[in-house]
Amino acid sequence: MFKGSMTALITPMNTDGSLDLPSMGRFIDWQIQQGAAALIPVGTTGESPTLTHDEHAAVVEFTIKSAAGRVPVIAGAGSNSTAEAVEMAQQAQKAGASAVLVVTPYYNKPTQEGVYRHFMAVADAISIPVILYNIPGRSVIDISVETMARLALHPNIIGVKDSTGDLLRPLLVRRAVKKPFNQISGEDGTAVSFLAAGGDGCISVTANVAPALCAQVQQSWNDGNVMDAMELQDRLLPLHDSLFCESNPVPVKFAASVLGLMGETCRLPLAPLADASRAKVKAALDAVGLLD
């Protein structure tokens, strides 16, 4: 079971759009020092849609090598092509990933039977754990509770990153799935509420720039200090909001650049952050106390 605050890593890039692996190495070390419980490279936040297959594999391998066993690495391995998702998952396993995160097949709009067969094909192809990634806001399709219960019968399918924002979902999944099932929030703003609904942690965008605070939220909850967790969540709320003022990961990359962690470059079709949004992100960083 993966627990705590896990960072959905942004991918540092040079101004020409090439990978900036030196910055990524420093960033990974900082994340671990600041309390990240796991690292998730090349998810949506890592701009996986615009990385080549070779770049995707390189970022996974680099993250695993840089983490050096200090924390688990859950590699993004999602695609709307099942064969491609299988290949990415196999590469991640070969590189030494602790698990893979596999998103629902976007754009194709498969039926629930197609969704089921997609994830089963990935799970059958590898021996490391598979975490389902349910994010209807980006992929259009939802993994129904019934389909999730079917998928959970596979021994390799061990949990879900839930980005539905529906706080009834973890309750319904827990009732439907007949085994311990790792439920992880994919929505920073509902991290504490998700824990209260029986969740295990959060795969966080905000943790890219506030890893220690995000880790403290999870630790406070696990220690039974509910009010402390809620106070920290309230403190972080302006930052959670600002980091989604435009399409992720544009705002969080800008925030990371303000903190001197890396450059803000994203690849097209993601455009640079608008001036009004820059002001909003800076104000949120200041409000949270990250510019002191």
Side-chain angles (χ1 to χ4, degrees):
M1 299 286 275
F2 297 99
K3 294 179 178 290
S5 176
M6 297 164 265
T7 308
L9 294 174
I10 46 182
T11 303
M13 294 176 182
N14 298 303
T15 54
D16 64 358
S18 59
L19 299 180
D20 180 4
L21 294 182
S23 289
M24 187 159 198
R26 292 188 294 271
F27 186 59
I28 287 167
D29 285 341
W30 180 71
Q31 283 286 324
I32 295 169
Q33 291 160 9
Q34 292 285 303
L39 301 175
I40 298 85
V42 291
T44 309
T45 305
E47 295 178 76
S48 56
T50 56
L51 298 185
T52 67
H53 291 181
D54 287 345
E55 287 173 331
H56 189 285
V59 170
V60 169
E61 291 169 7
F62 185 85
T63 303
I64 292 166
K65 182 178 179 181
S66 299
R70 291 175 287 173
V71 296
V73 174
I74 304 169
S79 173
N80 62 342
S81 161
T82 302
E84 192 172 273
V86 165
E87 182 182 354
M88 288 177 174
Q90 290 173 330
Q91 287 174 341
Q93 176 171 303
K94 185 177 179 181
S98 303
V100 291
L101 180 67
V102 183
V103 73
T104 44
Y106 41 88
Y107 192 80
N108 304 21
K109 295 182 73 174
T111 62
Q112 288 298 304
E113 181 64 23
V115 169
Y116 172 78
R117 294 187 184 203
H118 173 84
F119 285 116
M120 289 292 287
V122 176
D124 284 342
I126 58 175
S127 58
I128 59 175
V130 174
I131 298 173
L132 312 173
Y133 182 12
N134 195 22
I135 182 164
R138 284 206 183 235
S139 65
V140 181
I141 350 186
D142 185 18
I143 308 172
S144 71
V145 173
E146 294 75 18
T147 299
M148 205 166 292
R150 287 180 72 196
L151 288 166
L153 295 173
H154 196 294
N156 283 3
I157 297 176
I158 60 106
V160 60
K161 176 185 176 184
D162 187 315
S163 294
T164 64
D166 179 359
L167 291 171
L168 278 176
R169 186 60 67 94
L171 301 172
L172 296 171
V173 169
R174 194 167 73 246
R175 187 172 66 181
V177 173
K178 307 304 181 185
K179 72 176 185 183
F181 199 63
N182 204 177
Q183 295 203 69
I184 305 166
S185 171
E187 296 282 342
D188 279 293
T190 62
V192 173
S193 304
F194 198 86
L195 291 169
D200 302 302
C202 183
I203 292 179
S204 169
V205 172
T206 302
N208 278 284
V209 292
L213 289 173
C214 291
Q216 286 172 34
V217 169
Q218 298 289 324
Q219 190 61 54
S220 293
W221 180 271
N222 291 334
D223 290 343
N225 298 323
V226 175
M227 292 306 298
D228 289 349
M230 292 177 67
E231 286 173 9
L232 284 165
Q233 184 77 345
D234 287 346
R235 178 180 168 187
L236 283 165
L237 188 58
L239 187 57
H240 296 330
D241 286 345
S242 74
L243 294 183
F244 289 88
C245 65
E246 293 186 22
S247 297
N248 180 47
V250 179
V252 72
K253 266 197 163 176
F254 172 70
S257 75
V258 172
L259 298 179
L261 298 169
M262 64 183 68
E264 64 175 286
T265 301
C266 292
R267 288 183 179 174
L268 288 171
L270 296 178
L273 203 62
D275 288 343
S277 298
R278 288 170 184 265
K280 185 173 184 177
V281 170
K282 283 184 177 179
L285 290 169
D286 190 38
V288 172
L290 296 177
L291 296 184
D292 293 343

